[in-house]
Amino acid sequence: MSTTLQSPSYDSPAEFPRKTISRTLFVFSAIAVLSLMTMAAMSAVSVCTLFRSRRFCSEVLARWLGRMVLRVSGIRLKIDGEMPRYEGQVIYLINHTSTIDVFVLLALGLPRTRFFLWGGLRKFPPVAVIGYLIGVFFTPTQSRPDKRARCFQN
């Protein structure tokens, strides 16, 4: 399986600054609305199933959120081949340097996947609720080694 991302291209570097503020506001607003809709859907499904729907929330609803955020942002995700089926446990290590990487991982809909995210993101209600419902491990920063060690010991 291979994944290809294509972002909007510009003919010259001077075209990039011409991107209007209204487009940026539209993208941020759309992402906020999509996140709130997903949070509401995940919450309703989770309450109805007595919080036994983590895989459905992660592999279906969060996948939809990831794909919609990429679409609204103008990024096309192309997946070649099928998802490999593994019998045992698998670890995917991704050193992400961009926020969009989180949405790419969600859009892939990797089965039985858990994520590690910076604990400070819990301050944003949609991220906190969605993270809790899909089983995210919120970790302290590396500047707090005592809290970080406790997080990984439990």
Side-chain angles (χ1 to χ4, degrees), residues 1 18 22 49 59 70 77 86-87 94 107 126 138 149:
M1 178 188 86
R18 290 187 199 156
S22 61
T49 61
E59 296 171 22
L70 292 177
L77 176 67
Y86 297 106
E87 295 293 324
I94 296 144
F138 288 102

Side-chain angles (χ1 to χ4, degrees), residues 51-137:
F51 294 92
R52 296 184 184 268
S53 60
R54 187 189 70 76
R55 282 192 63 202
F56 177 77
C57 288
S58 179
E59 296 171 22
V60 177
L61 297 176
R63 181 181 183 188
W64 176 85
L65 172 65
R67 288 183 179 215
M68 290 299 109
V69 166
L70 292 177
R71 181 175 291 160
V72 165
S73 301
I75 298 172
R76 289 187 3 208
L77 176 67
K78 180 181 175 190
I79 301 173
D80 296 324
E82 292 185 21
M83 290 292 297
R85 303 279 183 213
Y86 297 106
E87 295 293 324
Q89 295 179 349
V90 178
I91 296 176
Y92 299 97
L93 294 175
I94 296 144
N95 184 13
H96 67 90
T97 58
S98 168
T99 306
I100 204 71
D101 296 347
V102 173
F103 295 107
V104 171
L105 290 173
L106 289 175
L108 291 175
L110 299 171
R112 300 177 186 203
T113 303
R114 304 290 284 269
F115 300 96
F116 288 87
L117 286 177
W118 172 56
L121 292 175
R122 285 184 290 194
K123 294 176 184 175
F124 305 105
V127 175
V129 172
I130 290 171
Y132 172 75
L133 294 175
I134 66 172
V136 167
F137 295 104

